[in-house]
Amino acid sequence: MAGVLNGARAYQAQSKQNMALIVEKYAPLVKRIALHLKARLPASVELDDLIQSGMIGLMDAVTHFEDGHGAVFETYASIRVRGAMIDEMRQSDWAPRSVHQNTRSIASAINKLQHSLGREPKDIEIANELGVELEKYNQMLVDSASSQMIGIEDLGVTDDVIGDDSDVRKDKLFDLLATSKFKVALAESIKNLPQREQQVLALYYDEELNLKEIGMVLELSESRICQLLSQSMARLRAMLKDWCGK
């Protein structure tokens, strides 16, 4: 009996050591994701809070990852880490309900205009569809950008999938993101965006520049870059709406 207990203790100690090594190795990944999210969150959101929730997501990833899942650990961990941060922010409920409603209204208006016009609608056309002045629409975009805490790779997934804490939901999200069909659909949708919005997405996600840096590259104000980023995300959501709930 003593031998069994000693063996169990040794196994637990080794498991803790392995966990500590993996967490230490991927801690920079958590910080990188936290910084990326922080760039489009209100100033009141603390970076340390994002990192703390992200570390919990990382440990969760270490516990649940299976080598046969079909993807490298870093990809799986990134989804879990980001999901943990999003869950924490949503539980904090810092964004007014009206902001979330406006985000959905913008995507709905864009989707309607895409079908009726047979092309990507212009800013003024979207504003008219929403029944607001262009200045008001631009402010809605800025507010919406602050409420959209997810990355481009999360597009096409319903909020209930992203926000639910259950392993089933998170596995569903992982399986969707791993499908080549979704990646192809996302790539094609990006190609259909206005050129300026494609540039903003490329600089933001591929080059990992912040809004101020992108503004300097494109010679636009930081506020305008924020609007373009938010609008591009809304367009993509409209294009990929058929993936929702899959």
mmCIF file of all heavy atoms in Angstrom, residues 168-213:
data_model
loop_
_atom_site.group_PDB
_atom_site.id
_atom_site.type_symbol
_atom_site.label_atom_id
_atom_site.label_comp_id
_atom_site.label_asym_id
_atom_site.label_seq_id
_atom_site.Cartn_x
_atom_site.Cartn_y
_atom_site.Cartn_z
ATOM 1 N N VAL A 168 -17.618 21.113 -24.353
ATOM 2 C CA VAL A 168 -18.268 20.744 -25.612
ATOM 3 C C VAL A 168 -18.265 21.924 -26.564
ATOM 4 O O VAL A 168 -17.952 21.795 -27.741
ATOM 5 C CB VAL A 168 -19.720 20.281 -25.359
ATOM 6 C CG1 VAL A 168 -20.444 20.055 -26.686
ATOM 7 C CG2 VAL A 168 -19.720 19.001 -24.530
ATOM 8 N N ARG A 169 -18.617 23.107 -26.049
ATOM 9 C CA ARG A 169 -18.642 24.301 -26.877
ATOM 10 C C ARG A 169 -17.251 24.640 -27.391
ATOM 11 O O ARG A 169 -17.057 25.006 -28.543
ATOM 12 C CB ARG A 169 -19.194 25.483 -26.073
ATOM 13 C CG ARG A 169 -20.681 25.380 -25.786
ATOM 14 C CD ARG A 169 -21.503 25.507 -27.053
ATOM 15 N NE ARG A 169 -22.920 25.641 -26.751
ATOM 16 C CZ ARG A 169 -23.853 25.781 -27.667
ATOM 17 N NH1 ARG A 169 -23.534 25.758 -28.929
ATOM 18 N NH2 ARG A 169 -25.123 25.913 -27.322
ATOM 19 N N LYS A 170 -16.261 24.562 -26.511
ATOM 20 C CA LYS A 170 -14.898 24.926 -26.905
ATOM 21 C C LYS A 170 -14.345 23.927 -27.914
ATOM 22 O O LYS A 170 -13.613 24.292 -28.834
ATOM 23 C CB LYS A 170 -14.010 25.004 -25.666
ATOM 24 C CG LYS A 170 -14.346 26.213 -24.788
ATOM 25 C CD LYS A 170 -13.532 26.254 -23.518
ATOM 26 C CE LYS A 170 -13.889 27.472 -22.685
ATOM 27 N NZ LYS A 170 -13.199 27.501 -21.400
ATOM 28 N N ASP A 171 -14.682 22.652 -27.749
ATOM 29 C CA ASP A 171 -14.253 21.661 -28.723
ATOM 30 C C ASP A 171 -14.915 21.928 -30.067
ATOM 31 O O ASP A 171 -14.307 21.741 -31.123
ATOM 32 C CB ASP A 171 -14.594 20.249 -28.247
ATOM 33 C CG ASP A 171 -13.678 19.791 -27.120
ATOM 34 O OD1 ASP A 171 -12.595 20.388 -26.983
ATOM 35 O OD2 ASP A 171 -14.054 18.857 -26.391
ATOM 36 N N LYS A 172 -16.177 22.383 -30.031
ATOM 37 C CA LYS A 172 -16.888 22.707 -31.255
ATOM 38 C C LYS A 172 -16.197 23.860 -31.970
ATOM 39 O O LYS A 172 -16.029 23.836 -33.192
ATOM 40 C CB LYS A 172 -18.333 23.091 -30.927
ATOM 41 C CG LYS A 172 -19.183 23.414 -32.150
ATOM 42 C CD LYS A 172 -20.600 23.762 -31.712
ATOM 43 C CE LYS A 172 -21.475 24.093 -32.916
ATOM 44 N NZ LYS A 172 -22.839 24.471 -32.516
ATOM 45 N N LEU A 173 -15.796 24.867 -31.204
ATOM 46 C CA LEU A 173 -15.075 25.996 -31.770
ATOM 47 C C LEU A 173 -13.764 25.536 -32.383
ATOM 48 O O LEU A 173 -13.416 25.912 -33.505
ATOM 49 C CB LEU A 173 -14.806 27.042 -30.685
ATOM 50 C CG LEU A 173 -13.857 28.204 -31.046
ATOM 51 C CD1 LEU A 173 -14.400 28.965 -32.243
ATOM 52 C CD2 LEU A 173 -13.699 29.132 -29.865
ATOM 53 N N PHE A 174 -13.027 24.697 -31.668
ATOM 54 C CA PHE A 174 -11.742 24.217 -32.162
ATOM 55 C C PHE A 174 -11.917 23.432 -33.452
ATOM 56 O O PHE A 174 -11.179 23.609 -34.417
ATOM 57 C CB PHE A 174 -11.066 23.323 -31.113
ATOM 58 C CG PHE A 174 -9.721 22.813 -31.558
ATOM 59 C CD1 PHE A 174 -8.590 23.593 -31.390
ATOM 60 C CD2 PHE A 174 -9.598 21.586 -32.167
ATOM 61 C CE1 PHE A 174 -7.355 23.131 -31.817
ATOM 62 C CE2 PHE A 174 -8.370 21.124 -32.604
ATOM 63 C CZ PHE A 174 -7.242 21.895 -32.423
ATOM 64 N N ASP A 175 -12.917 22.557 -33.468
ATOM 65 C CA ASP A 175 -13.156 21.739 -34.663
ATOM 66 C C ASP A 175 -13.494 22.609 -35.862
ATOM 67 O O ASP A 175 -13.051 22.338 -36.990
ATOM 68 C CB ASP A 175 -14.304 20.748 -34.410
ATOM 69 C CG ASP A 175 -13.913 19.664 -33.418
ATOM 70 O OD1 ASP A 175 -12.698 19.453 -33.238
ATOM 71 O OD2 ASP A 175 -14.811 19.046 -32.829
ATOM 72 N N LEU A 176 -14.286 23.670 -35.631
ATOM 73 C CA LEU A 176 -14.651 24.554 -36.729
ATOM 74 C C LEU A 176 -13.435 25.274 -37.282
ATOM 75 O O LEU A 176 -13.220 25.342 -38.492
ATOM 76 C CB LEU A 176 -15.686 25.580 -36.256
ATOM 77 C CG LEU A 176 -16.049 26.680 -37.259
ATOM 78 C CD1 LEU A 176 -16.617 26.068 -38.530
ATOM 79 C CD2 LEU A 176 -17.036 27.654 -36.661
ATOM 80 N N LEU A 177 -12.619 25.819 -36.391
ATOM 81 C CA LEU A 177 -11.448 26.575 -36.830
ATOM 82 C C LEU A 177 -10.436 25.681 -37.535
ATOM 83 O O LEU A 177 -9.621 26.155 -38.315
ATOM 84 C CB LEU A 177 -10.791 27.262 -35.630
ATOM 85 C CG LEU A 177 -11.665 28.278 -34.894
ATOM 86 C CD1 LEU A 177 -10.878 28.925 -33.777
ATOM 87 C CD2 LEU A 177 -12.186 29.331 -35.848
ATOM 88 N N ALA A 178 -10.481 24.389 -37.229
ATOM 89 C CA ALA A 178 -9.525 23.466 -37.829
ATOM 90 C C ALA A 178 -9.944 23.027 -39.224
ATOM 91 O O ALA A 178 -9.155 22.428 -39.956
ATOM 92 C CB ALA A 178 -9.372 22.229 -36.936
ATOM 93 N N THR A 179 -11.187 23.296 -39.616
ATOM 94 C CA THR A 179 -11.662 22.836 -40.908
ATOM 95 C C THR A 179 -11.102 23.703 -42.028
ATOM 96 O O THR A 179 -11.116 24.927 -41.959
ATOM 97 C CB THR A 179 -13.195 22.856 -40.973
ATOM 98 O OG1 THR A 179 -13.654 24.194 -40.804
ATOM 99 C CG2 THR A 179 -13.795 21.959 -39.897
ATOM 100 N N SER A 180 -10.640 23.047 -43.067
ATOM 101 C CA SER A 180 -10.076 23.773 -44.204
ATOM 102 C C SER A 180 -11.160 24.554 -44.949
ATOM 103 O O SER A 180 -10.888 25.614 -45.521
ATOM 104 C CB SER A 180 -9.382 22.799 -45.154
ATOM 105 O OG SER A 180 -10.288 21.813 -45.629
ATOM 106 N N LYS A 181 -12.393 24.061 -44.924
ATOM 107 C CA LYS A 181 -13.475 24.733 -45.638
ATOM 108 C C LYS A 181 -13.721 26.124 -45.067
ATOM 109 O O LYS A 181 -13.955 27.084 -45.806
ATOM 110 C CB LYS A 181 -14.760 23.904 -45.567
ATOM 111 C CG LYS A 181 -14.714 22.630 -46.405
ATOM 112 C CD LYS A 181 -16.055 21.907 -46.360
ATOM 113 C CE LYS A 181 -16.030 20.657 -47.223
ATOM 114 N NZ LYS A 181 -17.334 19.941 -47.183
ATOM 115 N N PHE A 182 -13.689 26.230 -43.736
ATOM 116 C CA PHE A 182 -13.904 27.536 -43.127
ATOM 117 C C PHE A 182 -12.762 28.488 -43.478
ATOM 118 O O PHE A 182 -12.984 29.668 -43.774
ATOM 119 C CB PHE A 182 -14.028 27.413 -41.608
ATOM 120 C CG PHE A 182 -14.146 28.745 -40.921
ATOM 121 C CD1 PHE A 182 -15.322 29.464 -40.979
ATOM 122 C CD2 PHE A 182 -13.070 29.293 -40.245
ATOM 123 C CE1 PHE A 182 -15.439 30.699 -40.364
ATOM 124 C CE2 PHE A 182 -13.170 30.528 -39.633
ATOM 125 C CZ PHE A 182 -14.365 31.235 -39.698
ATOM 126 N N LYS A 183 -11.533 27.969 -43.462
ATOM 127 C CA LYS A 183 -10.380 28.801 -43.782
ATOM 128 C C LYS A 183 -10.464 29.321 -45.219
ATOM 129 O O LYS A 183 -10.132 30.474 -45.492
ATOM 130 C CB LYS A 183 -9.091 28.016 -43.565
ATOM 131 C CG LYS A 183 -8.828 27.680 -42.104
ATOM 132 C CD LYS A 183 -7.568 26.840 -41.946
ATOM 133 C CE LYS A 183 -7.324 26.492 -40.479
ATOM 134 N NZ LYS A 183 -6.124 25.627 -40.311
ATOM 135 N N VAL A 184 -10.909 28.451 -46.118
ATOM 136 C CA VAL A 184 -11.069 28.858 -47.517
ATOM 137 C C VAL A 184 -12.151 29.930 -47.627
ATOM 138 O O VAL A 184 -11.984 30.943 -48.317
ATOM 139 C CB VAL A 184 -11.430 27.647 -48.407
ATOM 140 C CG1 VAL A 184 -11.828 28.117 -49.809
ATOM 141 C CG2 VAL A 184 -10.253 26.692 -48.498
ATOM 142 N N ALA A 185 -13.270 29.709 -46.927
ATOM 143 C CA ALA A 185 -14.369 30.676 -46.956
ATOM 144 C C ALA A 185 -13.920 32.023 -46.397
ATOM 145 O O ALA A 185 -14.281 33.089 -46.931
ATOM 146 C CB ALA A 185 -15.554 30.140 -46.163
ATOM 147 N N LEU A 186 -13.148 31.992 -45.317
ATOM 148 C CA LEU A 186 -12.645 33.221 -44.712
ATOM 149 C C LEU A 186 -11.713 33.948 -45.672
ATOM 150 O O LEU A 186 -11.814 35.160 -45.861
ATOM 151 C CB LEU A 186 -11.916 32.895 -43.408
ATOM 152 C CG LEU A 186 -11.237 34.061 -42.691
ATOM 153 C CD1 LEU A 186 -12.246 35.155 -42.365
ATOM 154 C CD2 LEU A 186 -10.556 33.575 -41.410
ATOM 155 N N ALA A 187 -10.803 33.204 -46.305
ATOM 156 C CA ALA A 187 -9.850 33.806 -47.249
ATOM 157 C C ALA A 187 -10.578 34.449 -48.424
ATOM 158 O O ALA A 187 -10.238 35.558 -48.861
ATOM 159 C CB ALA A 187 -8.868 32.745 -47.746
ATOM 160 N N GLU A 188 -11.580 33.763 -48.945
ATOM 161 C CA GLU A 188 -12.349 34.301 -50.070
ATOM 162 C C GLU A 188 -13.122 35.545 -49.655
ATOM 163 O O GLU A 188 -13.242 36.504 -50.428
ATOM 164 C CB GLU A 188 -13.305 33.235 -50.609
ATOM 165 C CG GLU A 188 -12.623 32.102 -51.366
ATOM 166 C CD GLU A 188 -11.842 32.601 -52.575
ATOM 167 O OE1 GLU A 188 -12.382 33.456 -53.315
ATOM 168 O OE2 GLU A 188 -10.694 32.165 -52.766
ATOM 169 N N SER A 189 -13.655 35.536 -48.456
ATOM 170 C CA SER A 189 -14.414 36.687 -47.964
ATOM 171 C C SER A 189 -13.510 37.910 -47.824
ATOM 172 O O SER A 189 -13.909 39.028 -48.156
ATOM 173 C CB SER A 189 -15.073 36.359 -46.621
ATOM 174 O OG SER A 189 -16.025 35.323 -46.762
ATOM 175 N N ILE A 190 -12.309 37.690 -47.333
ATOM 176 C CA ILE A 190 -11.361 38.798 -47.178
ATOM 177 C C ILE A 190 -11.028 39.410 -48.532
ATOM 178 O O ILE A 190 -10.903 40.628 -48.676
ATOM 179 C CB ILE A 190 -10.080 38.320 -46.463
ATOM 180 C CG1 ILE A 190 -10.396 37.958 -45.004
ATOM 181 C CG2 ILE A 190 -8.993 39.395 -46.518
ATOM 182 C CD1 ILE A 190 -9.233 37.363 -44.251
ATOM 183 N N LYS A 191 -10.913 38.569 -49.564
ATOM 184 C CA LYS A 191 -10.610 39.066 -50.908
ATOM 185 C C LYS A 191 -11.715 39.967 -51.442
ATOM 186 O O LYS A 191 -11.472 40.812 -52.312
ATOM 187 C CB LYS A 191 -10.406 37.885 -51.866
ATOM 188 C CG LYS A 191 -9.136 37.085 -51.630
ATOM 189 C CD LYS A 191 -9.032 35.943 -52.620
ATOM 190 C CE LYS A 191 -7.785 35.099 -52.362
ATOM 191 N NZ LYS A 191 -7.700 33.953 -53.302
ATOM 192 N N ASN A 192 -12.929 39.779 -50.942
ATOM 193 C CA ASN A 192 -14.060 40.570 -51.415
ATOM 194 C C ASN A 192 -14.230 41.886 -50.665
ATOM 195 O O ASN A 192 -15.111 42.677 -50.994
ATOM 196 C CB ASN A 192 -15.357 39.754 -51.293
ATOM 197 C CG ASN A 192 -15.402 38.599 -52.277
ATOM 198 O OD1 ASN A 192 -14.914 38.716 -53.403
ATOM 199 N ND2 ASN A 192 -15.986 37.483 -51.862
ATOM 200 N N LEU A 193 -13.405 42.110 -49.664
ATOM 201 C CA LEU A 193 -13.472 43.365 -48.915
ATOM 202 C C LEU A 193 -12.895 44.510 -49.745
ATOM 203 O O LEU A 193 -12.057 44.292 -50.619
ATOM 204 C CB LEU A 193 -12.672 43.255 -47.616
ATOM 205 C CG LEU A 193 -13.202 42.345 -46.516
ATOM 206 C CD1 LEU A 193 -12.197 42.280 -45.379
ATOM 207 C CD2 LEU A 193 -14.554 42.816 -46.013
ATOM 208 N N PRO A 194 -13.307 45.741 -49.479
ATOM 209 C CA PRO A 194 -12.655 46.896 -50.114
ATOM 210 C C PRO A 194 -11.158 46.854 -49.831
ATOM 211 O O PRO A 194 -10.733 46.401 -48.760
ATOM 212 C CB PRO A 194 -13.326 48.095 -49.426
ATOM 213 C CG PRO A 194 -14.680 47.577 -49.028
ATOM 214 C CD PRO A 194 -14.445 46.149 -48.623
ATOM 215 N N GLN A 195 -10.378 47.321 -50.781
ATOM 216 C CA GLN A 195 -8.918 47.203 -50.683
ATOM 217 C C GLN A 195 -8.360 47.824 -49.408
ATOM 218 O O GLN A 195 -7.489 47.248 -48.755
ATOM 219 C CB GLN A 195 -8.251 47.850 -51.897
ATOM 220 C CG GLN A 195 -6.734 47.681 -51.906
ATOM 221 C CD GLN A 195 -6.098 48.281 -53.140
ATOM 222 O OE1 GLN A 195 -6.753 48.934 -53.940
ATOM 223 N NE2 GLN A 195 -4.807 48.063 -53.304
ATOM 224 N N ARG A 196 -8.873 48.985 -49.016
ATOM 225 C CA ARG A 196 -8.352 49.641 -47.827
ATOM 226 C C ARG A 196 -8.589 48.789 -46.584
ATOM 227 O O ARG A 196 -7.729 48.697 -45.706
ATOM 228 C CB ARG A 196 -8.990 51.029 -47.678
ATOM 229 C CG ARG A 196 -8.507 51.850 -46.480
ATOM 230 C CD ARG A 196 -6.987 51.975 -46.433
ATOM 231 N NE ARG A 196 -6.418 52.561 -47.600
ATOM 232 C CZ ARG A 196 -6.244 53.860 -47.789
ATOM 233 N NH1 ARG A 196 -6.644 54.723 -46.891
ATOM 234 N NH2 ARG A 196 -5.660 54.312 -48.874
ATOM 235 N N GLU A 197 -9.743 48.134 -46.499
ATOM 236 C CA GLU A 197 -10.039 47.287 -45.357
ATOM 237 C C GLU A 197 -9.170 46.028 -45.369
ATOM 238 O O GLU A 197 -8.769 45.537 -44.305
ATOM 239 C CB GLU A 197 -11.529 46.934 -45.335
ATOM 240 C CG GLU A 197 -12.400 48.135 -45.015
ATOM 241 C CD GLU A 197 -13.878 47.818 -45.022
ATOM 242 O OE1 GLU A 197 -14.243 46.627 -44.878
ATOM 243 O OE2 GLU A 197 -14.687 48.753 -45.168
ATOM 244 N N GLN A 198 -8.857 45.516 -46.547
ATOM 245 C CA GLN A 198 -7.929 44.389 -46.642
ATOM 246 C C GLN A 198 -6.556 44.791 -46.102
ATOM 247 O O GLN A 198 -5.907 44.015 -45.394
ATOM 248 C CB GLN A 198 -7.790 43.935 -48.102
ATOM 249 C CG GLN A 198 -9.009 43.248 -48.682
ATOM 250 C CD GLN A 198 -8.747 42.695 -50.071
ATOM 251 O OE1 GLN A 198 -7.713 42.082 -50.325
ATOM 252 N NE2 GLN A 198 -9.676 42.907 -50.979
ATOM 253 N N GLN A 199 -6.132 45.998 -46.434
ATOM 254 C CA GLN A 199 -4.838 46.481 -45.969
ATOM 255 C C GLN A 199 -4.812 46.592 -44.450
ATOM 256 O O GLN A 199 -3.827 46.202 -43.802
ATOM 257 C CB GLN A 199 -4.536 47.841 -46.600
ATOM 258 C CG GLN A 199 -4.305 47.792 -48.099
ATOM 259 C CD GLN A 199 -4.142 49.179 -48.692
ATOM 260 O OE1 GLN A 199 -4.731 50.160 -48.211
ATOM 261 N NE2 GLN A 199 -3.351 49.291 -49.751
ATOM 262 N N VAL A 200 -5.887 47.121 -43.885
ATOM 263 C CA VAL A 200 -5.957 47.278 -42.436
ATOM 264 C C VAL A 200 -5.901 45.913 -41.745
ATOM 265 O O VAL A 200 -5.164 45.728 -40.760
ATOM 266 C CB VAL A 200 -7.249 48.024 -42.025
ATOM 267 C CG1 VAL A 200 -7.424 47.990 -40.509
ATOM 268 C CG2 VAL A 200 -7.200 49.464 -42.513
ATOM 269 N N LEU A 201 -6.660 44.953 -42.250
ATOM 270 C CA LEU A 201 -6.651 43.611 -41.663
ATOM 271 C C LEU A 201 -5.265 42.983 -41.740
ATOM 272 O O LEU A 201 -4.792 42.365 -40.777
ATOM 273 C CB LEU A 201 -7.669 42.714 -42.381
ATOM 274 C CG LEU A 201 -9.141 42.935 -42.051
ATOM 275 C CD1 LEU A 201 -9.994 42.000 -42.896
ATOM 276 C CD2 LEU A 201 -9.419 42.703 -40.575
ATOM 277 N N ALA A 202 -4.612 43.129 -42.902
ATOM 278 C CA ALA A 202 -3.287 42.540 -43.085
ATOM 279 C C ALA A 202 -2.278 43.143 -42.114
ATOM 280 O O ALA A 202 -1.481 42.429 -41.494
ATOM 281 C CB ALA A 202 -2.823 42.735 -44.527
ATOM 282 N N LEU A 203 -2.309 44.446 -41.962
ATOM 283 C CA LEU A 203 -1.371 45.117 -41.060
ATOM 284 C C LEU A 203 -1.664 44.797 -39.601
ATOM 285 O O LEU A 203 -0.757 44.689 -38.778
ATOM 286 C CB LEU A 203 -1.416 46.628 -41.286
ATOM 287 C CG LEU A 203 -0.878 47.123 -42.636
ATOM 288 C CD1 LEU A 203 -1.189 48.592 -42.835
ATOM 289 C CD2 LEU A 203 0.624 46.876 -42.735
ATOM 290 N N TYR A 204 -2.947 44.639 -39.281
ATOM 291 C CA TYR A 204 -3.342 44.399 -37.896
ATOM 292 C C TYR A 204 -3.088 42.961 -37.466
ATOM 293 O O TYR A 204 -2.552 42.717 -36.382
ATOM 294 C CB TYR A 204 -4.821 44.742 -37.726
ATOM 295 C CG TYR A 204 -5.299 44.739 -36.291
ATOM 296 C CD1 TYR A 204 -4.855 45.702 -35.388
ATOM 297 C CD2 TYR A 204 -6.202 43.782 -35.836
ATOM 298 C CE1 TYR A 204 -5.303 45.716 -34.072
ATOM 299 C CE2 TYR A 204 -6.652 43.794 -34.523
ATOM 300 C CZ TYR A 204 -6.202 44.760 -33.649
ATOM 301 O OH TYR A 204 -6.636 44.758 -32.347
ATOM 302 N N TYR A 205 -3.466 42.009 -38.313
ATOM 303 C CA TYR A 205 -3.358 40.604 -37.929
ATOM 304 C C TYR A 205 -2.075 39.925 -38.405
ATOM 305 O O TYR A 205 -1.504 39.114 -37.686
ATOM 306 C CB TYR A 205 -4.576 39.822 -38.443
ATOM 307 C CG TYR A 205 -5.832 40.156 -37.694
ATOM 308 C CD1 TYR A 205 -6.800 40.983 -38.245
ATOM 309 C CD2 TYR A 205 -6.051 39.679 -36.406
ATOM 310 C CE1 TYR A 205 -7.952 41.313 -37.554
ATOM 311 C CE2 TYR A 205 -7.193 39.999 -35.697
ATOM 312 C CZ TYR A 205 -8.137 40.814 -36.272
ATOM 313 O OH TYR A 205 -9.265 41.145 -35.571
ATOM 314 N N ASP A 206 -1.636 40.242 -39.622
ATOM 315 C CA ASP A 206 -0.427 39.598 -40.134
ATOM 316 C C ASP A 206 0.841 40.276 -39.620
ATOM 317 O O ASP A 206 1.768 39.615 -39.154
ATOM 318 C CB ASP A 206 -0.427 39.599 -41.672
ATOM 319 C CG ASP A 206 -1.551 38.750 -42.250
ATOM 320 O OD1 ASP A 206 -2.044 37.865 -41.522
ATOM 321 O OD2 ASP A 206 -1.939 38.980 -43.405
ATOM 322 N N GLU A 207 0.866 41.601 -39.713
ATOM 323 C CA GLU A 207 2.048 42.347 -39.274
ATOM 324 C C GLU A 207 1.990 42.693 -37.789
ATOM 325 O O GLU A 207 2.981 43.137 -37.214
ATOM 326 C CB GLU A 207 2.187 43.628 -40.098
ATOM 327 C CG GLU A 207 2.277 43.408 -41.599
ATOM 328 C CD GLU A 207 3.464 42.550 -41.988
ATOM 329 O OE1 GLU A 207 4.516 42.641 -41.307
ATOM 330 O OE2 GLU A 207 3.350 41.784 -42.969
ATOM 331 N N GLU A 208 0.794 42.526 -37.174
ATOM 332 C CA GLU A 208 0.580 42.796 -35.750
ATOM 333 C C GLU A 208 0.934 44.227 -35.360
ATOM 334 O O GLU A 208 1.502 44.479 -34.298
ATOM 335 C CB GLU A 208 1.349 41.783 -34.885
ATOM 336 C CG GLU A 208 0.883 40.346 -35.083
ATOM 337 C CD GLU A 208 1.479 39.384 -34.069
ATOM 338 O OE1 GLU A 208 2.411 39.787 -33.352
ATOM 339 O OE2 GLU A 208 0.999 38.241 -34.004
ATOM 340 N N LEU A 209 0.584 45.178 -36.237
ATOM 341 C CA LEU A 209 0.757 46.584 -35.900
ATOM 342 C C LEU A 209 -0.451 47.052 -35.097
ATOM 343 O O LEU A 209 -1.543 46.520 -35.246
ATOM 344 C CB LEU A 209 0.872 47.424 -37.178
ATOM 345 C CG LEU A 209 2.022 47.107 -38.142
ATOM 346 C CD1 LEU A 209 2.005 48.105 -39.301
ATOM 347 C CD2 LEU A 209 3.365 47.134 -37.428
ATOM 348 N N ASN A 210 -0.253 48.047 -34.241
ATOM 349 C CA ASN A 210 -1.401 48.594 -33.527
ATOM 350 C C ASN A 210 -2.077 49.657 -34.388
ATOM 351 O O ASN A 210 -1.598 50.000 -35.477
ATOM 352 C CB ASN A 210 -0.986 49.154 -32.162
ATOM 353 C CG ASN A 210 0.043 50.265 -32.275
ATOM 354 O OD1 ASN A 210 -0.004 51.105 -33.171
ATOM 355 N ND2 ASN A 210 0.996 50.286 -31.343
ATOM 356 N N LEU A 211 -3.194 50.184 -33.896
ATOM 357 C CA LEU A 211 -3.979 51.112 -34.708
ATOM 358 C C LEU A 211 -3.200 52.383 -35.069
ATOM 359 O O LEU A 211 -3.300 52.887 -36.191
ATOM 360 C CB LEU A 211 -5.261 51.490 -33.960
ATOM 361 C CG LEU A 211 -6.199 50.333 -33.595
ATOM 362 C CD1 LEU A 211 -7.455 50.869 -32.926
ATOM 363 C CD2 LEU A 211 -6.554 49.492 -34.816
ATOM 364 N N LYS A 212 -2.430 52.881 -34.124
ATOM 365 C CA LYS A 212 -1.639 54.083 -34.383
ATOM 366 C C LYS A 212 -0.603 53.836 -35.467
ATOM 367 O O LYS A 212 -0.417 54.669 -36.370
ATOM 368 C CB LYS A 212 -0.956 54.546 -33.095
ATOM 369 C CG LYS A 212 -0.169 55.835 -33.249
ATOM 370 C CD LYS A 212 0.434 56.274 -31.920
ATOM 371 C CE LYS A 212 1.212 57.574 -32.061
ATOM 372 N NZ LYS A 212 1.789 58.016 -30.763
ATOM 373 N N GLU A 213 0.070 52.690 -35.408
ATOM 374 C CA GLU A 213 1.089 52.350 -36.400
ATOM 375 C C GLU A 213 0.473 52.162 -37.784
ATOM 376 O O GLU A 213 1.046 52.575 -38.791
ATOM 377 C CB GLU A 213 1.830 51.082 -35.965
ATOM 378 C CG GLU A 213 2.692 51.282 -34.720
ATOM 379 C CD GLU A 213 3.195 49.971 -34.144
ATOM 380 O OE1 GLU A 213 2.542 48.916 -34.387
ATOM 381 O OE2 GLU A 213 4.223 49.980 -33.441
#
